[in-house]
Amino acid sequence: MQSLTQSPTAARFVQNPYPFYERGRALGPFFHWTDYDLPCTTSHTAINAILRDRRFGRECPPALRPAVPEHLRPFYAVEDHSMLELEPPHHTRLRGLVLRAFTSRRIATLAPEIEAIAHQLIDALPEGECDLIAHFCRRLPMLVIARLIGIPEPLAPEVERWSSAMVGMYQAGRSRQTEERAAAAAAVFAEFLRLYIGARRRRPADDLLTHLIQAEAEGERLSTDEVIATCILILNAGHEAAVHAIGNAVKTLLETGTPPEALSPPQIGATVEELLRYDPPLHLFKRYVYADAEIMGQSFRAGSEVALLLAAANRDPGAWHQPQRFLPARPEKAHLSFSAGLHFCLGAPLARLEMAAALPVLFARRPGLRLIGKPRYANTYHFRGLERLMVT
């Protein structure tokens, strides 16, 4: 396996990681990324296979699990109950219970509310130049998820700060300060939700928090800690990824001069899928190897790790025709932006709906929208999203 060196926090990489992915692809299905000291793959076939292979998984094997530093205990007190970090049978039980509350049918009913929030935010846009990330892309998903879960709207900015602090744990080049912020946010976030869960048990409402509390299967319910971890997972993943997905989408539509027809009801579904394929918010996922395995000629030993470059897989010429081009009329085909297999993103229907409902409203209300200068991506790898999106 050949090696490549590339700092994930280097300025050129942050602004455009795709040339590095192509360098890796040229070396074969797998290459060694020295900065992570991990084998990586850009191959759509390999990543799809690993995500569906039970010899690989998200949960750290007990023998490899390091002791949790004292300053990170509040963070891992939440993480240890998150289905994102678990495998069957714990994952199966948790996901089954959560899906009884977080149903696609319930999410689909949110479309009019998402459109109304989009109109409200557009009405409040400053005249002239503005940063669309701050005024639209960041606010819309948080308001949607806060209403979905049942968090009062005035508290949404505080919840957003806790969420952003916790997500910092997954970004390259994190510091002790990042860790302390994440742990402090996790502690406050958990206590905040614990109080709300108590209130909902006394006075149920028609919101996701109540439905999570009441979800039951074969006599089992979610514990308070599991409800807290699930709400935080939905808020963190659903908000942070959605902000980047919407921001990246607006940038792509403006840079490519995509015609309005691409956002019309008959075409919006295909356009959203192509936007998610072309510049997704999540670029790298890791998997532990649970048993010796061979994938596309590469051997993996139990106890090792492999990095899956999801965004690179979405531009694999073996899977996509002209993958470097944004083609909104491209025939729909499953991409890997939401992962695959057991850990396929629980919030995928909501993310798709937010884009399909909000983007047509934005471009219908602001048909003359155009970029000011070159948009800049934030230094937040493994996430890829804009630090600002200046428009007029």
Side-chain angles (χ1 to χ4, degrees), residues 328-340:
R330 186 187 296 275
E332 289 186 50
K333 175 182 175 180
H335 51 72
L336 293 172
S337 300
F338 293 119
S339 188

Side-chain angles (χ1 to χ4, degrees), residues 54-136:
R54 299 307 308 132
R55 294 173 297 177
F56 299 82
R58 284 280 298 176
E59 189 170 359
C60 182
L64 300 178
R65 198 169 295 157
V68 176
E70 190 63 34
H71 72 283
L72 283 176
R73 287 190 183 280
F75 179 83
Y76 285 103
V78 173
E79 280 292 278
D80 287 347
H81 297 283
S82 172
M83 76 178 79
L84 183 63
E85 307 300 335
L86 297 172
E87 292 295 319
H90 303 299
H91 175 273
T92 308
R93 171 185 164 273
L94 265 178
R95 190 174 178 107
L97 284 166
V98 172
L99 283 173
R100 289 174 178 269
F102 199 56
T103 64
S104 294
R105 185 161 60 179
R106 180 170 288 127
I107 290 166
T109 64
L110 294 172
E113 192 160 2
I114 294 169
E115 291 176 0
I117 292 171
H119 281 292
Q120 169 193 330
L121 294 176
I122 293 165
D123 288 340
L125 287 178
E127 291 296 324
E129 300 181 4
C130 77
D131 176 9
L132 214 58
I133 297 296
H135 291 279
F136 186 82

Side-chain angles (χ1 to χ4, degrees), residues 271-338:
T271 300
V272 165
E273 293 309 301
E274 176 67 350
L275 287 164
L276 289 165
R277 178 202 72 84
Y278 182 73
D279 197 10
L282 181 62
H283 277 223
L284 184 151
F285 248 146
K286 296 178 186 176
R287 285 291 185 269
Y288 291 100
V289 184
Y290 296 150
D292 291 355
E294 184 175 306
I295 303 291
M296 296 183 72
Q298 180 63 45
S299 297
F300 295 93
R301 286 289 195 188
S304 62
E305 283 184 272
V306 57
L308 314 178
L309 297 171
L310 305 182
N314 283 350
R315 295 196 182 189
D316 185 344
W320 308 92
H321 176 63
Q322 296 184 311
Q324 306 295 342
R325 293 185 62 196
F326 171 69
L327 301 172
R330 186 187 296 275
E332 289 186 50
K333 175 182 175 180
H335 51 72
L336 293 172
S337 300
F338 293 119

Side-chain angles (χ1 to χ4, degrees), residues 57 106 138 148 358:
R106 180 170 288 127
R138 186 162 290 282
L148 176 67

Side-chain angles (χ1 to χ4, degrees), residues 207-239:
D207 55 36
L208 182 60
L209 186 54
T210 299
H211 292 299
L212 285 171
I213 292 167
Q214 295 175 344
E216 186 173 356
E218 297 177 359
E220 284 202 60
R221 289 194 174 188
L222 296 166
S223 69
T224 298
D225 286 337
E226 288 169 342
V227 174
I228 288 170
T230 300
C231 284
I232 289 178
L233 172 62
I234 291 169
L235 280 158
N236 289 358
H239 173 252

